[in-house]
Amino acid sequence: MNSSYPPKNPMIAFFFSCVPGLGQLYLGRFVRALFFGGGFFGALLPLVFMIIANIFRKELGFFLLAVAGVFWSLNLVDMIRVLARMAGYRPAQGSEPSFGPSNGENERFNTMLLSVIPGLGHLRLGLMQRGLSFLVSFFGLGVMILFVSIVTRQEGFLVFLGILPILWIYGLFDCIQQINKKERGETLIDRTYFEDFQEGRETGRKNKTLAMILSMFPGAGHMYLGLQKRGLQLMAAFLFSIYIMDVLRLSLFLFLIPMIWFFSFFDALQQIARYGREELRDVPVVVWLIHHQRWIGIGLLVMGVYYLFDHILVNGLDIWFNKETAQRIRGWYYNYFQTFVISVLLIGGGIRLLIGSQVKKGNGHETLAGRNVIDGGNAGFSRRAPAAVANPGVRGV
């Protein structure tokens, strides 16, 4: 074996290799670090510049992304090849070993390297059904999404590719769990991960891993745990926010979308942590909305009027006005309607907060005044009572 490899931790090198060139730099392979890192970031930097300068070109952007992906893949393959060679390397006697001395540690590391491709690590452990389920799910889902997107010519289907990293991470950590079970001497059960979820359904217990995966979509994790009201409100808030802001072009309030997502995700994690230890209460996020469904009706009415105006009346202005006037009205509508809606929302929210604070302040003064009157009466009584007690003869008179 090649004895030129320095005594480095292979796990650290592997995780560093997620950033092209960083793992090679950690191992002292400076030429390859410059090659992979320069190719990857050299393709991304022009893409970032085009986005910032607002001169993005679709074809060139996809080409640069493809080049960056090729360099990232080559970097990872090269790192796996190098670490596989290091796995069998033993330094000369008296020098510091670069790897654990036992074959068990080498087997563990080789299995984790194979688990980078979903299912291969399980196949090495002899879990054929479990490995094939991860392998087929990962690559089958990716191929199907790309096929549907190409056939229908709808790029929106590519959003579902975001499921693949979740499945990849789940497969990696599941392989690590199987390795730990084997090292503890436990018997490994060869079954698909779908059967794990089915077992949870049969016993009546919820699978926390599945709940965590579902919580990536706001409200889905809550509904899986049985928190229907809370999950429905979070899901509706997230989807309606995206829809309304897109329809009304309210870009000023786009910050609400990540806020709702993070609130839903971390709230789901808290509910998952409580599950099994205490009873989960299905408390809606906005309690008053259940008892004031009139506001939902008003919102639906406003949306209906907006759709009537936007899709029918605006397009039919030529019937009632001449072409120049109709064009002027459309220009005013498309240029200033967004500003008008934002202004009304901000002014209405400010007035509502002012009225609410004044009402609370007024109730506080009334309560404080009532307490002072009661305390004052009690104080007067307490001031007169000692005098009567001090002169018992007065009572007789």
Side-chain angles (χ1 to χ4, degrees), residues 276-333:
R277 296 188 301 173
E278 57 184 90
E279 183 180 359
L280 300 183
R281 299 178 56 192
D282 189 11
V283 180
V285 180
V286 185
V287 181
W288 65 267
L289 191 60
I290 298 179
H291 306 289
H292 297 81
Q293 297 185 9
R294 177 182 60 180
W295 291 103
I296 300 178
I298 293 175
L300 294 175
L301 182 62
V302 171
M303 289 297 298
V305 172
Y306 168 76
Y307 265 103
L308 179 65
F309 183 79
D310 184 68
H311 289 75
I312 298 178
L313 298 181
V314 173
N315 294 326
L317 291 176
D318 295 329
I319 300 176
W320 300 286
F321 304 98
N322 56 50
K323 186 176 180 179
E324 182 179 355
T325 304
Q327 190 67 25
R328 188 182 302 113
I329 294 175
R330 289 194 187 95
W332 177 88
Y333 171 73

Side-chain angles (χ1 to χ4, degrees), residues 177-189:
Q177 288 181 351
Q178 299 298 329
I179 295 173
N180 293 334
K181 288 181 180 179
K182 184 177 180 180
E183 292 179 349
R184 291 195 299 265
E186 300 180 11
T187 303
L188 300 183
I189 302 176

